[in-house]
Amino acid sequence: MRNVPFYPLLVAILVGLGGYLGCDPSSITPPLNPAGNTASSQIQQSASVPKRSADTIIVGSFNMQRLGKSKMEQPSIMSALAQIIQQYDVIAIQEINDKSGAAINQLMQYVNQNGGRYALAISEPVGRSAAYLEQYAYIYDTSRIEGGQRHCYLVTDPTDQLHREPYVGRFQTRTSNPFTFSLVNIHTDPDEIKTELDVLATVLTNVRAFEYQQAQIDDVMLLGDLNAAPGKLLGLERIQGTVSVINIPTNTRRDKVYDNIILDRGLTSEFTGRAGTIDLQTVFGIGEEQALKISDHMPIWAEFYMQRSNSAALSASQPTGLIR
């Protein structure tokens, strides 16, 4: 594993939040799970998403493949993207390519046109070249989930170890005993995954530490387009207790696993054990060529219980009032 110092990346996370540079990283000890289950084969995989219920939420990720002017001008594609989003409580988005913001704003209008209450949190443009930048986003159902722009931050990367810095968001369910969780949204560079996946292992560890110190959140998941399949996730698979929950093809051509959700099954005991994709061809009754016009990636999802699990492994009292 590449030797990435603990403190610089932690400081980068703190800079992204705008302060707290005086904390001592050696004093941050998130709860550990020595008996974590790493067998993704024990997760029920499906190419269709279950309906949301009063007891569960659907969280996931979707690389929309250059969401911008071209797709904005095709109502059928925008409608399809909106229908996908409406299956989720929280969805992390990658590859927004529109400096004007018009495409994502128009998409939100499609999502909410029939009375939906979805909201958007979006990152600053990220990337190494001004000629090609991307934005991340979270879209979430405010009738069931609390969150918002002020609860999200980019992990800044002063030594340029990642092509695109991850975007972190904090959310909780609207229940009397809320499930509170943080997401790390990432789109790796396919030409640099041998480096980036090891760096992301350090980022995930440090975000966990920071989120636990600041808000006593131990449910931290990394999700997005990793450009690598389970078994080839390098440092991410060497974090004790972690599991990649998707083990079926996630590209529209149905032959590669690029996208995933990384979590610790011991810490995130709210995970129901069900995860998978939304197969674009099956859901919309279209062929591969038409599906590729929507995206070359399929959306991925995982299901969680809405209420916080009594077995959640916090070593301190449960936090309250995290999101206001």
PDB file of all heavy atoms in Angstrom, residues 24 35 39 72 85 88 97 105 126 129 132 146 154-155 171-172 178 180 207 253-254 275 284 292 303 307 314:
ATOM      1  N   ASP A  24      -5.950  17.042  17.447  1.00  0.00           N
ATOM      2  CA  ASP A  24      -4.834  16.095  17.453  1.00  0.00           C
ATOM      3  C   ASP A  24      -5.304  14.780  16.849  1.00  0.00           C
ATOM      4  O   ASP A  24      -6.108  14.071  17.450  1.00  0.00           O
ATOM      5  CB  ASP A  24      -4.365  15.871  18.893  1.00  0.00           C
ATOM      6  CG  ASP A  24      -3.277  14.816  18.985  1.00  0.00           C
ATOM      7  OD1 ASP A  24      -2.761  14.408  17.921  1.00  0.00           O
ATOM      8  OD2 ASP A  24      -2.958  14.383  20.104  1.00  0.00           O
ATOM      9  N   ALA A  35     -14.762  -8.310  14.182  1.00  0.00           N
ATOM     10  CA  ALA A  35     -15.426  -9.468  13.597  1.00  0.00           C
ATOM     11  C   ALA A  35     -16.215  -9.094  12.351  1.00  0.00           C
ATOM     12  O   ALA A  35     -17.203  -9.723  12.016  1.00  0.00           O
ATOM     13  CB  ALA A  35     -16.368 -10.102  14.627  1.00  0.00           C
ATOM     14  N   ALA A  39     -17.659 -10.954   3.424  1.00  0.00           N
ATOM     15  CA  ALA A  39     -18.101 -11.843   2.359  1.00  0.00           C
ATOM     16  C   ALA A  39     -19.256 -11.222   1.587  1.00  0.00           C
ATOM     17  O   ALA A  39     -20.405 -11.305   1.985  1.00  0.00           O
ATOM     18  CB  ALA A  39     -18.517 -13.187   2.942  1.00  0.00           C
ATOM     19  N   MET A  72     -29.722  17.456 -21.516  1.00  0.00           N
ATOM     20  CA  MET A  72     -30.766  18.404 -21.130  1.00  0.00           C
ATOM     21  C   MET A  72     -31.724  18.653 -22.295  1.00  0.00           C
ATOM     22  O   MET A  72     -32.910  18.925 -22.097  1.00  0.00           O
ATOM     23  CB  MET A  72     -30.124  19.715 -20.669  1.00  0.00           C
ATOM     24  CG  MET A  72     -31.099  20.746 -20.149  1.00  0.00           C
ATOM     25  SD  MET A  72     -30.249  22.219 -19.505  1.00  0.00           S
ATOM     26  CE  MET A  72     -29.578  22.917 -21.023  1.00  0.00           C
ATOM     27  N   ILE A  85     -34.062   8.507 -10.125  1.00  0.00           N
ATOM     28  CA  ILE A  85     -33.838   9.207  -8.856  1.00  0.00           C
ATOM     29  C   ILE A  85     -34.997   8.995  -7.900  1.00  0.00           C
ATOM     30  O   ILE A  85     -34.806   8.847  -6.681  1.00  0.00           O
ATOM     31  CB  ILE A  85     -33.602  10.711  -9.121  1.00  0.00           C
ATOM     32  CG1 ILE A  85     -32.246  10.907  -9.818  1.00  0.00           C
ATOM     33  CG2 ILE A  85     -33.640  11.515  -7.815  1.00  0.00           C
ATOM     34  CD1 ILE A  85     -32.065  12.286 -10.402  1.00  0.00           C
ATOM     35  N   TYR A  88     -35.008   6.393  -5.047  1.00  0.00           N
ATOM     36  CA  TYR A  88     -34.028   6.502  -3.968  1.00  0.00           C
ATOM     37  C   TYR A  88     -34.482   7.479  -2.877  1.00  0.00           C
ATOM     38  O   TYR A  88     -35.239   8.408  -3.124  1.00  0.00           O
ATOM     39  CB  TYR A  88     -32.685   7.010  -4.520  1.00  0.00           C
ATOM     40  CG  TYR A  88     -31.945   6.020  -5.370  1.00  0.00           C
ATOM     41  CD1 TYR A  88     -32.251   5.865  -6.711  1.00  0.00           C
ATOM     42  CD2 TYR A  88     -30.927   5.237  -4.829  1.00  0.00           C
ATOM     43  CE1 TYR A  88     -31.566   4.944  -7.499  1.00  0.00           C
ATOM     44  CE2 TYR A  88     -30.230   4.327  -5.611  1.00  0.00           C
ATOM     45  CZ  TYR A  88     -30.559   4.172  -6.948  1.00  0.00           C
ATOM     46  OH  TYR A  88     -29.878   3.274  -7.728  1.00  0.00           O
ATOM     47  N   ASN A  97     -21.406  17.590 -15.953  1.00  0.00           N
ATOM     48  CA  ASN A  97     -20.511  18.400 -16.805  1.00  0.00           C
ATOM     49  C   ASN A  97     -21.260  19.600 -17.365  1.00  0.00           C
ATOM     50  O   ASN A  97     -21.615  19.630 -18.533  1.00  0.00           O
ATOM     51  CB  ASN A  97     -19.972  17.565 -17.974  1.00  0.00           C
ATOM     52  CG  ASN A  97     -19.133  16.401 -17.520  1.00  0.00           C
ATOM     53  OD1 ASN A  97     -19.464  15.255 -17.791  1.00  0.00           O
ATOM     54  ND2 ASN A  97     -18.038  16.670 -16.823  1.00  0.00           N
ATOM     55  N   ASN A 105     -30.309  21.554 -12.615  1.00  0.00           N
ATOM     56  CA  ASN A 105     -31.511  22.262 -12.160  1.00  0.00           C
ATOM     57  C   ASN A 105     -32.747  21.809 -12.929  1.00  0.00           C
ATOM     58  O   ASN A 105     -33.832  21.658 -12.356  1.00  0.00           O
ATOM     59  CB  ASN A 105     -31.322  23.771 -12.286  1.00  0.00           C
ATOM     60  CG  ASN A 105     -30.322  24.318 -11.273  1.00  0.00           C
ATOM     61  OD1 ASN A 105     -30.158  23.748 -10.191  1.00  0.00           O
ATOM     62  ND2 ASN A 105     -29.657  25.400 -11.621  1.00  0.00           N
ATOM     63  N   VAL A 126     -14.528  19.854  -9.896  1.00  0.00           N
ATOM     64  CA  VAL A 126     -13.256  19.253  -9.501  1.00  0.00           C
ATOM     65  C   VAL A 126     -12.587  18.619 -10.718  1.00  0.00           C
ATOM     66  O   VAL A 126     -13.243  18.203 -11.666  1.00  0.00           O
ATOM     67  CB  VAL A 126     -13.440  18.195  -8.389  1.00  0.00           C
ATOM     68  CG1 VAL A 126     -13.870  18.840  -7.090  1.00  0.00           C
ATOM     69  CG2 VAL A 126     -14.439  17.116  -8.794  1.00  0.00           C
ATOM     70  N   SER A 129      -7.810  19.642 -14.920  1.00  0.00           N
ATOM     71  CA  SER A 129      -7.723  20.519 -16.084  1.00  0.00           C
ATOM     72  C   SER A 129      -8.980  21.361 -16.176  1.00  0.00           C
ATOM     73  O   SER A 129     -10.103  20.845 -16.096  1.00  0.00           O
ATOM     74  CB  SER A 129      -7.557  19.683 -17.364  1.00  0.00           C
ATOM     75  OG  SER A 129      -7.723  20.481 -18.513  1.00  0.00           O
ATOM     76  N   TYR A 132     -11.689  20.209 -18.550  1.00  0.00           N
ATOM     77  CA  TYR A 132     -12.644  19.157 -18.217  1.00  0.00           C
ATOM     78  C   TYR A 132     -12.777  19.049 -16.703  1.00  0.00           C
ATOM     79  O   TYR A 132     -11.862  18.580 -16.025  1.00  0.00           O
ATOM     80  CB  TYR A 132     -12.239  17.794 -18.794  1.00  0.00           C
ATOM     81  CG  TYR A 132     -13.250  16.719 -18.459  1.00  0.00           C
ATOM     82  CD1 TYR A 132     -14.421  16.600 -19.194  1.00  0.00           C
ATOM     83  CD2 TYR A 132     -13.044  15.861 -17.384  1.00  0.00           C
ATOM     84  CE1 TYR A 132     -15.371  15.646 -18.878  1.00  0.00           C
ATOM     85  CE2 TYR A 132     -13.989  14.893 -17.051  1.00  0.00           C
ATOM     86  CZ  TYR A 132     -15.148  14.786 -17.804  1.00  0.00           C
ATOM     87  OH  TYR A 132     -16.094  13.848 -17.490  1.00  0.00           O
ATOM     88  N   GLU A 146     -33.025  14.059   6.226  1.00  0.00           N
ATOM     89  CA  GLU A 146     -32.487  15.379   6.523  1.00  0.00           C
ATOM     90  C   GLU A 146     -31.041  15.450   6.043  1.00  0.00           C
ATOM     91  O   GLU A 146     -30.297  14.474   6.144  1.00  0.00           O
ATOM     92  CB  GLU A 146     -32.532  15.650   8.021  1.00  0.00           C
ATOM     93  CG  GLU A 146     -33.930  15.750   8.611  1.00  0.00           C
ATOM     94  CD  GLU A 146     -33.881  16.045  10.092  1.00  0.00           C
ATOM     95  OE1 GLU A 146     -33.680  17.224  10.465  1.00  0.00           O
ATOM     96  OE2 GLU A 146     -34.027  15.103  10.880  1.00  0.00           O
ATOM     97  N   LEU A 154     -16.110  19.039   0.246  1.00  0.00           N
ATOM     98  CA  LEU A 154     -15.086  18.368  -0.548  1.00  0.00           C
ATOM     99  C   LEU A 154     -13.873  18.088   0.318  1.00  0.00           C
ATOM    100  O   LEU A 154     -13.470  18.918   1.140  1.00  0.00           O
ATOM    101  CB  LEU A 154     -14.653  19.250  -1.724  1.00  0.00           C
ATOM    102  CG  LEU A 154     -15.530  19.247  -2.961  1.00  0.00           C
ATOM    103  CD1 LEU A 154     -15.094  20.354  -3.908  1.00  0.00           C
ATOM    104  CD2 LEU A 154     -15.485  17.893  -3.678  1.00  0.00           C
ATOM    105  N   VAL A 155     -13.292  16.911   0.148  1.00  0.00           N
ATOM    106  CA  VAL A 155     -12.012  16.598   0.788  1.00  0.00           C
ATOM    107  C   VAL A 155     -10.926  17.225  -0.078  1.00  0.00           C
ATOM    108  O   VAL A 155     -10.660  16.768  -1.181  1.00  0.00           O
ATOM    109  CB  VAL A 155     -11.801  15.080   0.901  1.00  0.00           C
ATOM    110  CG1 VAL A 155     -10.415  14.777   1.484  1.00  0.00           C
ATOM    111  CG2 VAL A 155     -12.892  14.445   1.752  1.00  0.00           C
ATOM    112  N   PHE A 171     -26.182  12.694   6.464  1.00  0.00           N
ATOM    113  CA  PHE A 171     -27.635  12.584   6.371  1.00  0.00           C
ATOM    114  C   PHE A 171     -28.182  11.820   7.573  1.00  0.00           C
ATOM    115  O   PHE A 171     -27.458  11.098   8.241  1.00  0.00           O
ATOM    116  CB  PHE A 171     -28.035  11.830   5.088  1.00  0.00           C
ATOM    117  CG  PHE A 171     -27.509  12.463   3.835  1.00  0.00           C
ATOM    118  CD1 PHE A 171     -26.285  12.066   3.300  1.00  0.00           C
ATOM    119  CD2 PHE A 171     -28.229  13.458   3.188  1.00  0.00           C
ATOM    120  CE1 PHE A 171     -25.784  12.652   2.144  1.00  0.00           C
ATOM    121  CE2 PHE A 171     -27.733  14.053   2.034  1.00  0.00           C
ATOM    122  CZ  PHE A 171     -26.512  13.655   1.511  1.00  0.00           C
ATOM    123  N   GLN A 172     -29.497  11.986   7.817  1.00  0.00           N
ATOM    124  CA  GLN A 172     -30.166  11.138   8.785  1.00  0.00           C
ATOM    125  C   GLN A 172     -31.639  10.999   8.427  1.00  0.00           C
ATOM    126  O   GLN A 172     -32.223  11.868   7.774  1.00  0.00           O
ATOM    127  CB  GLN A 172     -30.015  11.650  10.212  1.00  0.00           C
ATOM    128  CG  GLN A 172     -30.799  12.884  10.573  1.00  0.00           C
ATOM    129  CD  GLN A 172     -30.591  13.294  12.031  1.00  0.00           C
ATOM    130  OE1 GLN A 172     -29.569  12.969  12.647  1.00  0.00           O
ATOM    131  NE2 GLN A 172     -31.539  14.005  12.595  1.00  0.00           N
ATOM    132  N   PRO A 178     -33.283   8.075  14.666  1.00  0.00           N
ATOM    133  CA  PRO A 178     -32.772   8.172  13.301  1.00  0.00           C
ATOM    134  C   PRO A 178     -31.478   7.405  13.043  1.00  0.00           C
ATOM    135  O   PRO A 178     -30.592   7.339  13.893  1.00  0.00           O
ATOM    136  CB  PRO A 178     -32.550   9.677  13.117  1.00  0.00           C
ATOM    137  CG  PRO A 178     -32.364  10.208  14.500  1.00  0.00           C
ATOM    138  CD  PRO A 178     -33.239   9.373  15.382  1.00  0.00           C
ATOM    139  N   THR A 180     -28.268   7.751  11.269  1.00  0.00           N
ATOM    140  CA  THR A 180     -27.430   8.847  10.805  1.00  0.00           C
ATOM    141  C   THR A 180     -26.206   8.268  10.115  1.00  0.00           C
ATOM    142  O   THR A 180     -25.557   7.368  10.647  1.00  0.00           O
ATOM    143  CB  THR A 180     -27.002   9.730  11.990  1.00  0.00           C
ATOM    144  OG1 THR A 180     -28.171  10.212  12.650  1.00  0.00           O
ATOM    145  CG2 THR A 180     -26.189  10.919  11.525  1.00  0.00           C
ATOM    146  N   VAL A 207     -11.921  10.054   7.065  1.00  0.00           N
ATOM    147  CA  VAL A 207     -13.273  10.603   7.135  1.00  0.00           C
ATOM    148  C   VAL A 207     -14.050   9.930   8.259  1.00  0.00           C
ATOM    149  O   VAL A 207     -14.772  10.586   9.020  1.00  0.00           O
ATOM    150  CB  VAL A 207     -14.009  10.450   5.790  1.00  0.00           C
ATOM    151  CG1 VAL A 207     -15.486  10.839   5.929  1.00  0.00           C
ATOM    152  CG2 VAL A 207     -13.362  11.312   4.710  1.00  0.00           C
ATOM    153  N   ARG A 253     -23.443  -2.267 -20.493  1.00  0.00           N
ATOM    154  CA  ARG A 253     -23.194  -3.421 -21.368  1.00  0.00           C
ATOM    155  C   ARG A 253     -23.194  -4.747 -20.601  1.00  0.00           C
ATOM    156  O   ARG A 253     -23.025  -5.813 -21.175  1.00  0.00           O
ATOM    157  CB  ARG A 253     -21.876  -3.233 -22.114  1.00  0.00           C
ATOM    158  CG  ARG A 253     -21.928  -2.112 -23.145  1.00  0.00           C
ATOM    159  CD  ARG A 253     -20.663  -2.066 -23.989  1.00  0.00           C
ATOM    160  NE  ARG A 253     -20.785  -1.130 -25.094  1.00  0.00           N
ATOM    161  CZ  ARG A 253     -20.522   0.162 -25.047  1.00  0.00           C
ATOM    162  NH1 ARG A 253     -20.099   0.697 -23.898  1.00  0.00           N
ATOM    163  NH2 ARG A 253     -20.673   0.936 -26.097  1.00  0.00           N
ATOM    164  N   ARG A 254     -23.309  -4.681 -19.297  1.00  0.00           N
ATOM    165  CA  ARG A 254     -23.504  -5.849 -18.427  1.00  0.00           C
ATOM    166  C   ARG A 254     -22.304  -6.797 -18.393  1.00  0.00           C
ATOM    167  O   ARG A 254     -22.476  -8.008 -18.246  1.00  0.00           O
ATOM    168  CB  ARG A 254     -24.750  -6.641 -18.858  1.00  0.00           C
ATOM    169  CG  ARG A 254     -26.057  -5.878 -18.821  1.00  0.00           C
ATOM    170  CD  ARG A 254     -27.151  -6.672 -19.497  1.00  0.00           C
ATOM    171  NE  ARG A 254     -28.481  -6.125 -19.307  1.00  0.00           N
ATOM    172  CZ  ARG A 254     -29.547  -6.532 -19.977  1.00  0.00           C
ATOM    173  NH1 ARG A 254     -29.422  -7.480 -20.893  1.00  0.00           N
ATOM    174  NH2 ARG A 254     -30.729  -5.997 -19.733  1.00  0.00           N
ATOM    175  N   ALA A 275     -28.777  -5.516  -1.945  1.00  0.00           N
ATOM    176  CA  ALA A 275     -28.123  -4.495  -2.765  1.00  0.00           C
ATOM    177  C   ALA A 275     -28.157  -4.937  -4.219  1.00  0.00           C
ATOM    178  O   ALA A 275     -28.448  -6.092  -4.532  1.00  0.00           O
ATOM    179  CB  ALA A 275     -26.687  -4.274  -2.309  1.00  0.00           C
ATOM    180  N   PHE A 284     -36.706  -0.016 -18.395  1.00  0.00           N
ATOM    181  CA  PHE A 284     -37.341   0.833 -19.388  1.00  0.00           C
ATOM    182  C   PHE A 284     -37.786   0.069 -20.640  1.00  0.00           C
ATOM    183  O   PHE A 284     -38.372   0.665 -21.553  1.00  0.00           O
ATOM    184  CB  PHE A 284     -36.412   1.983 -19.778  1.00  0.00           C
ATOM    185  CG  PHE A 284     -36.158   2.947 -18.655  1.00  0.00           C
ATOM    186  CD1 PHE A 284     -34.923   3.016 -18.033  1.00  0.00           C
ATOM    187  CD2 PHE A 284     -37.172   3.779 -18.198  1.00  0.00           C
ATOM    188  CE1 PHE A 284     -34.688   3.905 -16.991  1.00  0.00           C
ATOM    189  CE2 PHE A 284     -36.959   4.671 -17.154  1.00  0.00           C
ATOM    190  CZ  PHE A 284     -35.721   4.731 -16.551  1.00  0.00           C
ATOM    191  N   LEU A 292     -27.656   3.016 -23.480  1.00  0.00           N
ATOM    192  CA  LEU A 292     -26.384   3.733 -23.441  1.00  0.00           C
ATOM    193  C   LEU A 292     -26.569   5.242 -23.625  1.00  0.00           C
ATOM    194  O   LEU A 292     -25.713   6.026 -23.214  1.00  0.00           O
ATOM    195  CB  LEU A 292     -25.443   3.192 -24.515  1.00  0.00           C
ATOM    196  CG  LEU A 292     -24.810   1.828 -24.204  1.00  0.00           C
ATOM    197  CD1 LEU A 292     -24.150   1.246 -25.441  1.00  0.00           C
ATOM    198  CD2 LEU A 292     -23.799   1.948 -23.063  1.00  0.00           C
ATOM    199  N   GLU A 303     -30.011  -1.242   0.553  1.00  0.00           N
ATOM    200  CA  GLU A 303     -31.176  -0.992   1.405  1.00  0.00           C
ATOM    201  C   GLU A 303     -30.761  -0.976   2.875  1.00  0.00           C
ATOM    202  O   GLU A 303     -29.951  -1.794   3.312  1.00  0.00           O
ATOM    203  CB  GLU A 303     -32.211  -2.098   1.172  1.00  0.00           C
ATOM    204  CG  GLU A 303     -33.511  -1.918   1.935  1.00  0.00           C
ATOM    205  CD  GLU A 303     -34.443  -3.100   1.738  1.00  0.00           C
ATOM    206  OE1 GLU A 303     -34.020  -4.253   2.046  1.00  0.00           O
ATOM    207  OE2 GLU A 303     -35.581  -2.886   1.279  1.00  0.00           O
ATOM    208  N   GLN A 307     -34.749   3.006  11.045  1.00  0.00           N
ATOM    209  CA  GLN A 307     -34.447   3.244  12.455  1.00  0.00           C
ATOM    210  C   GLN A 307     -33.018   2.810  12.764  1.00  0.00           C
ATOM    211  O   GLN A 307     -32.527   1.817  12.223  1.00  0.00           O
ATOM    212  CB  GLN A 307     -35.415   2.458  13.356  1.00  0.00           C
ATOM    213  CG  GLN A 307     -36.871   2.823  13.183  1.00  0.00           C
ATOM    214  CD  GLN A 307     -37.245   4.080  13.950  1.00  0.00           C
ATOM    215  OE1 GLN A 307     -36.502   4.557  14.798  1.00  0.00           O
ATOM    216  NE2 GLN A 307     -38.418   4.622  13.645  1.00  0.00           N
ATOM    217  N   LEU A 314     -21.519   2.086  18.565  1.00  0.00           N
ATOM    218  CA  LEU A 314     -20.957   3.324  19.079  1.00  0.00           C
ATOM    219  C   LEU A 314     -20.371   3.097  20.461  1.00  0.00           C
ATOM    220  O   LEU A 314     -20.972   2.430  21.295  1.00  0.00           O
ATOM    221  CB  LEU A 314     -22.045   4.401  19.175  1.00  0.00           C
ATOM    222  CG  LEU A 314     -22.309   5.206  17.904  1.00  0.00           C
ATOM    223  CD1 LEU A 314     -23.478   6.130  18.133  1.00  0.00           C
ATOM    224  CD2 LEU A 314     -21.099   6.001  17.496  1.00  0.00           C
TER     225      LEU A 314
END
